[in-house]
Amino acid sequence: MLPLANAKIHRACSDGVRCAPWRAAICSAGSRQPLLALSVALTILTCLTARAFGYQEPKPTALTPDQQAIIARIGNSARADNIAYANAPGEVISNEVSLPFRDGKFITLVRENSALQSDGSITWVGAVKETGERAVLMVWGDALLTGYFAYKGTIFSVESLGGGVQVIAELGREQQLQDHPTPPGPRDSIPESGELAAPRTPPPEPAVSPFPDTVRQALEAKKITIDIMILYTPNVAKHYLRDPQDLLALAIEEFNQTLRNSDLGNITLRLVYTQRIDYDASKEDQFTQLYTMVDGLGPFKDVRKLRDEKRADIVGLIIDNPKGCGLSTRVRPDSDEAFFVVHHACATITMSITHEIGHILGIRHDRFIDESNEPFPYGHGYVNDAKWRDIMSYNAGCGGCPRIPYWSNPRVKYKGEPTGTPAADGARVILELAERVSKFR
């Protein structure tokens, strides 16, 4: 991460640019045409960072790895093509964002979808053009940009320093981590997995009663909101220049995007509270950390009271402990155990917050590593040969294939192929149990 001294230098450079006029322009545009404001904001980021760092075409300024500033350059613009903007004719949004990388190299992110949020921010989801790895960004009306992208197995964070200047920081090769750490004892209900070099033969699936259309449609007609409270440790905060709240909000929006991808748009996860908690999560294993929080020990003694005050259905803790990506108490826990922990670098991109909430909702892993039919014979993740796997699946069954932001669902396709089967239908579980979880508090 950029040292504080360097951050102050960068901030001083950006403060030398007269920002008031362009901020006013973006706010004005944002009130009328939010997507146009995004294009304006990203264009202005180009100008500001170019002036701050002496950027000149055609050769980009070569920055050190710890001093990489984002120069967001607008590629081809096009009308937004997702449902959220169906009633916004004429508005445009960037299809591509280019980021200066090491040794003068640029990394181009290509937009796949985007969504306007109630607070005026816009989430931008895409992939690295060169490698196909995921990227998730959030742009605010005043040109602040935060997010993550993965490049060749390494996850990078993107943060604003203010004044239009951004930095990129390497968070580590966290994509190599297991979804869950190895259990130290019998308290964990989520089985350990193994890693394989080649795809496995699909395990047999049980016969499952059909999901009646009338029942499904009735569930889809319900508007359900699940509230979540997320705590984070001081060691996590050290990895980010600003408060991690924006990046946590981005992880929540990523969860909501997976719901929309899987025809579950009637369900929403809402971040109701975030707080830094004085706890060192680097000393113990993730199981101990999880149950220290669940049992209300030490600095967590008031967490249940706080949860009741905020009416949070689910509580999460973001830690700096790369022994695994995360852990929830069990599959389909009761209200008193609706807790999870996640290593900060896995919060998004690898979709670990989403994965752990999936367990709380009642979904198990894919059958390659977990053949249990409890609590539902259809409540499993799905692996499509060696092509891809859904949110709840490990890479063991497919020899390391990528995870896609979809829940298993035989009624929804990804690249022309179903994302599940009748016996791998996590979307059905979510439809059936989301209301249950939304009533925890």
Side-chain angles (χ1 to χ4, degrees):
M1 178 57 72
L2 191 68
L4 180 60
N6 286 340
K8 291 181 178 179
I9 293 172
H10 281 246
R11 197 184 306 275
C13 291
S14 66
D15 286 345
V17 181
R18 299 287 182 181
C19 297
W22 63 262
R23 285 181 183 272
I26 291 175
C27 291
S28 175
S31 65
R32 300 188 305 272
Q33 292 186 326
L35 296 179
L36 179 59
L38 172 61
S39 290
V40 173
L42 289 175
T43 303
I44 290 171
L45 284 177
T46 301
C47 300
L48 288 175
T49 48
R51 291 174 63 179
F53 292 98
Y55 175 80
Q56 294 181 348
E57 291 283 355
K59 295 181 179 180
T61 303
L63 302 175
T64 64
D66 285 339
Q67 294 177 324
Q68 296 169 10
I70 291 179
I71 301 177
R73 301 189 303 177
I74 302 301
N76 296 326
S77 292
R79 290 178 186 272
D81 55 7
N82 59 323
I83 296 175
Y85 302 129
N87 297 320
E91 295 184 349
V92 295
I93 188 168
S94 171
N95 271 349
E96 294 187 356
V97 175
S98 294
L99 311 177
F101 206 58
R102 297 168 180 150
D103 302 322
K105 175 183 176 67
F106 274 86
I107 293 178
T108 299
L109 310 180
V110 180
R111 182 178 70 91
E112 295 176 350
N113 57 68
S114 47
L116 176 64
Q117 305 305 307
S118 59
D119 61 3
S121 64
I122 297 173
T123 55
W124 191 101
V125 179
V128 176
K129 192 171 187 178
E130 178 185 349
T131 65
E133 292 167 289
R134 299 185 68 246
V136 185
L137 305 175
M138 179 177 286
V139 182
W140 303 85
D142 60 357
L144 293 177
L145 184 149
T146 60
Y148 298 90
F149 67 93
Y151 182 66
K152 295 186 176 179
T154 299
I155 295 175
F156 296 85
S157 68
V158 179
E159 285 191 89
S160 292
L161 285 177
V165 178
Q166 321 288 323
V167 294
I168 297 174
E170 181 175 326
L171 294 181
R173 301 185 181 278
E174 308 301 348
Q175 286 188 323
Q176 297 177 4
L177 294 180
Q178 289 190 122
D179 284 302
H180 303 298
T182 302
R187 196 165 190 180
D188 174 51
S189 65
I190 299 174
E192 182 181 357
S193 75
E195 302 297 325
L196 297 179
R200 298 173 61 181
T201 301
E205 293 185 336
V208 173
S209 300
F211 190 18
D213 287 342
T214 54
V215 175
R216 174 180 56 79
Q217 291 165 2
L219 291 171
E220 290 173 345
K222 295 183 178 182
K223 297 295 183 181
I224 296 171
T225 299
I226 298 172
D227 291 329
I228 184 171
M229 177 176 81
I230 299 184
L231 311 174
Y232 59 90
T233 68
N235 286 340
V236 168
K238 290 177 183 177
H239 287 276
Y240 303 93
L241 291 173
R242 302 191 307 120
D243 190 296
Q245 181 174 351
D246 290 348
L247 295 173
L248 294 177
L250 187 56
I252 300 307
E253 169 50 28
E254 182 176 51
F255 180 95
N256 288 326
Q257 182 60 51
T258 67
L259 294 176
R260 293 190 289 268
N261 290 347
S262 298
D263 283 353
L264 299 168
N266 62 304
I267 302 167
T268 301
L269 183 68
R270 179 171 59 190
L271 181 61
V272 294
Y273 187 70
T274 64
Q275 179 179 306
R276 172 171 161 168
I277 191 160
D278 190 16
Y279 178 66
D280 185 357
S282 64
K283 296 180 179 179
E284 303 288 347
D285 59 82
Q286 291 186 8
F287 295 84
T288 300
Q289 293 152 9
L290 173 61
Y291 284 101
T292 296
M293 176 172 58
V294 172
D295 296 337
L297 303 178
F300 298 103
K301 62 182 178 63
D302 295 323
V303 164
R304 290 186 179 273
K305 178 182 177 182
L306 182 62
R307 180 193 183 192
D308 289 341
E309 290 175 357
K310 304 302 178 182
R311 299 183 65 84
D313 303 305
I314 297 173
V315 180
L317 173 65
I318 309 302
I319 58 178
D320 184 10
N321 187 321
K323 297 175 182 177
C325 269
L327 186 69
S328 57
T329 52
R330 64 188 73 255
V331 175
R332 195 180 180 271
D334 293 331
S335 174
D336 287 347
E337 289 199 335
F339 290 78
F340 69 85
V341 297
V342 164
H343 176 54
H344 75 98
C346 299
T348 185
I349 298 296
T350 57
M351 294 180 281
S352 290
I353 287 180
T354 299
H355 180 102
E356 300 309 331
I357 295 174
H359 285 311
I360 291 173
L361 285 166
I363 311 172
R364 307 192 76 91
H365 295 138
D366 61 276
R367 280 196 169 80
F368 286 107
I369 64 168
D370 181 3
E371 296 191 43
S372 171
N373 288 321
E374 298 296 332
F376 310 102
Y378 47 84
H380 280 269
Y382 179 69
V383 176
N384 183 1
D385 297 325
K387 298 175 184 177
W388 42 261
R389 57 193 169 106
D390 83 321
I391 291 162
M392 300 306 297
S393 300
Y394 269 67
N395 61 18
C398 63
C401 64
R403 172 176 281 167
I404 62 171
Y406 286 73
W407 302 93
S408 58
N409 187 340
R411 299 167 296 282
V412 170
K413 292 184 177 181
Y414 176 75
K415 294 186 176 181
E417 299 184 76
T419 54
T421 68
D425 194 350
R428 178 177 177 177
V429 174
I430 294 174
L431 283 171
E432 293 173 335
L433 294 189
E435 186 173 20
R436 169 184 177 267
V437 175
S438 73
K439 294 179 179 179
F440 279 173
R441 286 295 183 276

